[in-house]
Amino acid sequence: MHISETYSIPCVIMRGGTSKGIFFRGNDLPCDPAVRDQVILKVFGSPDSRQINGLGGADPLTSKLAIINPSKREDADVEYTFGQVDIHSAFIDYSSNCGNISSAVGPFALYQGLVKAEEPATTVRIYNTNTDKVFQAQVPVKNGRPKEEGDYKIYGTPGTGAYIGMDMAGTIGAKTGKLLPTGNPKDVIEIHGFGSLTVSMVDAGSPMVFVKAADLGLTGSEGPDQIDTNLEMLELLESIRCTAAEKMGIADKRTAREKVKAVPMVAFIGPAQDYKSHIDGAVIREEEIDFTARDMFMQIMHKTYSGTATVCTGCAAVTPGTVVYEMRGEKKDNKVRIGHPAGIITCDTAVENGRIVQAVFGRTARRIMEGYVYVPVSAWDKK
């Protein structure tokens, strides 16, 4: 619909886990990828540190995009493309997926009638175009619609909601084709100005590089306020990420720094310990977690822990020889309990004959708004 100097585009704002995104049906956006991205940047109000002229939330966790289409694949119900909309530059990163936003894809598909809702729960098979992988969401249903209210608590989101089970075992090797991209559970990399560092590079959900917090002079209990203001530490962590990107075959160091900003994610791991949530001050007890983990996302610390990082960390924790496995220690329980800045997230794993066949984490989701976003007609001009 053309109104004056703007076009109106149907969209839905949804919270998925601890993130929030703008959801579109694919056929409501321009077909030309370059024009589509120009339009999306206008929708979000990027680039601008406040995203004041759009729907973005001026934070990487609330500047996210989901494009949904019906799938033509026999093994999937819907096709989903994730985009991380940069706040400070005119750039949308399609290099990876987001587990939190993924948890809202199933409910969105049900609300939109793309998948038939069946009670008490509907399994939605989701093909993620970013990683060329299929995963499943178990969405609770009541009265023919996604159930949103429930008693499941996720740290970093107020209140409780209905449990959505996200099984992402199918995303192992999402970017590199292998769980261990280098073939090794541990590698030693050289960081300019720092020296040798032992890391584990793992690819499940999203590729990640893990390092022990102590090797960086950290405890593993730090919060965003401590890391994001430490410019030397930010640069060290970014150097680790870019070096790992090259070792994993994702991008050379320069490209990783300039264009492939979302992956691999870098996380530092510490022992189980008491600490206070950096969001509400609640005490997380040592006995409640297996280890602490802090996930760097888009060059700052994730305020909670990303869904795909949960999958990758869970898989690393049950893979012998990785720094995560060694930090966790020998455990028969396949529930991996991760202590993050806001609280705890778990990954339920299952290993058969040395192969990880299940990697489930729980989320909640909520539809916040459905309507139209107005975009200047000039956004459709090819540049």
Side-chain angles (χ1 to χ4, degrees):
M1 182 179 179
H2 183 202
I3 300 176
S4 185
E5 297 180 332
T6 61
Y7 282 116
S8 60
I9 304 174
C11 70
V12 178
I13 299 177
M14 294 194 72
R15 176 187 61 78
T18 56
S19 293
K20 187 164 61 176
I22 313 300
F23 284 62
F24 294 98
R25 295 279 294 265
N27 59 4
D28 289 327
L29 292 171
C31 296
D32 184 296
V35 176
R36 178 198 63 195
D37 285 1
Q38 288 175 187
V39 169
I40 290 169
L41 288 168
K42 288 294 185 182
V43 168
F44 279 80
S46 286
D48 173 51
S49 61
R50 294 191 298 157
Q51 292 182 319
I52 193 66
N53 207 34
L55 297 179
D59 185 285
L61 300 186
T62 53
S63 190
K64 299 188 176 190
L65 160 77
I67 303 172
I68 317 294
N69 288 301
S71 179
K72 296 179 181 179
R73 295 171 58 111
E74 292 185 358
D75 61 349
D77 301 307
V78 293
E79 178 179 292
Y80 149 60
T81 298
F82 169 72
Q84 181 68 50
V85 182
D86 197 17
I87 296 171
H88 304 292
S89 67
F91 177 69
I92 304 173
D93 193 338
Y94 294 107
S95 65
S96 66
N97 187 17
C98 170
N100 279 299
I101 291 299
S102 293
S103 67
V105 172
F108 177 86
L110 295 180
Y111 278 125
Q112 294 288 316
L114 297 175
V115 178
K116 182 181 178 181
E118 296 182 355
E119 298 185 31
T122 301
T123 298
V124 182
R125 302 170 303 165
I126 302 165
Y127 169 62
N128 176 239
T129 65
N130 308 78
T131 59
D132 192 30
K133 297 290 184 179
V134 176
F135 59 89
Q136 297 184 353
Q138 194 77 6
V139 183
V141 174
K142 185 177 181 180
N143 298 324
R145 299 174 71 77
K147 185 179 178 183
E148 295 186 353
E149 294 189 347
D151 58 6
Y152 187 71
K153 168 70 177 176
I154 60 174
Y155 291 85
T157 299
T160 60
Y163 175 88
I164 299 172
M166 301 294 297
D167 189 348
M168 286 194 164
T171 66
I172 289 175
K175 192 71 175 176
T176 66
K178 296 188 294 184
L179 176 66
L180 301 175
T182 68
N184 306 316
K186 283 198 297 286
D187 289 277
V188 177
I189 61 175
E190 295 295 326
I191 304 299
H192 180 71
F194 181 85
S196 300
L197 191 63
T198 298
V199 302
S200 289
M201 290 173 273
V202 185
D203 184 4
S206 286
M208 295 187 72
V209 52
F210 298 96
V211 59
K212 291 182 180 178
D215 290 348
L216 304 178
L218 302 172
T219 66
S221 64
E222 289 82 2
D225 55 335
Q226 295 164 280
I227 299 299
D228 293 348
T229 56
N230 186 336
L231 299 183
E232 289 186 5
M233 183 57 65
L234 288 177
E235 176 55 31
L236 173 58
L237 290 165
E238 179 64 359
S239 294
I240 295 169
R241 190 188 75 83
C242 294
T243 301
E246 191 165 82
K247 295 289 185 182
M248 298 169 87
I250 294 172
D252 59 50
K253 293 179 184 179
R254 180 175 177 179
T255 302
R257 188 177 287 271
E258 295 178 356
K259 294 184 178 180
V260 186
K261 300 179 180 181
V263 294
M265 291 182 279
V266 56
F268 55 90
I269 311 297
Q273 57 194 284
D274 292 351
Y275 67 94
K276 289 185 178 180
S277 165
H278 292 270
I279 287 184
D280 60 14
V283 177
I284 310 302
R285 299 294 182 188
E286 176 183 349
E287 59 270 19
E288 296 178 301
I289 58 177
D290 295 332
F291 53 85
T292 62
R294 301 297 187 259
D295 171 23
M296 301 302 294
F297 178 67
M298 297 297 285
Q299 293 67 57
I300 61 175
M301 184 186 284
H302 200 296
K303 293 177 177 60
T304 56
Y305 210 69
S306 81
T308 52
T310 300
V311 172
C312 194
T313 307
C315 290
V318 295
T319 300
T322 69
V323 297
V324 185
Y325 181 92
E326 291 176 351
M327 185 66 70
R328 183 178 185 236
E330 292 281 353
K331 284 186 171 63
K332 294 182 180 179
D333 184 5
N334 282 331
K335 182 184 286 293
V336 180
R337 306 172 301 165
I338 304 164
H340 61 73
I344 305 167
I345 191 168
T346 63
C347 183
D348 291 307
T349 63
V351 182
E352 295 180 0
N353 299 319
R355 178 171 168 264
I356 299 170
V357 295
Q358 175 181 293
V360 177
F361 65 99
R363 296 283 85 182
T364 64
R366 188 172 86 84
R367 184 172 60 164
I368 296 171
M369 187 282 295
E370 182 170 357
Y372 294 89
V373 59
Y374 295 94
V375 178
V377 173
S378 59
W380 272 258
D381 294 338
K382 290 189 175 182
K383 295 180 181 179

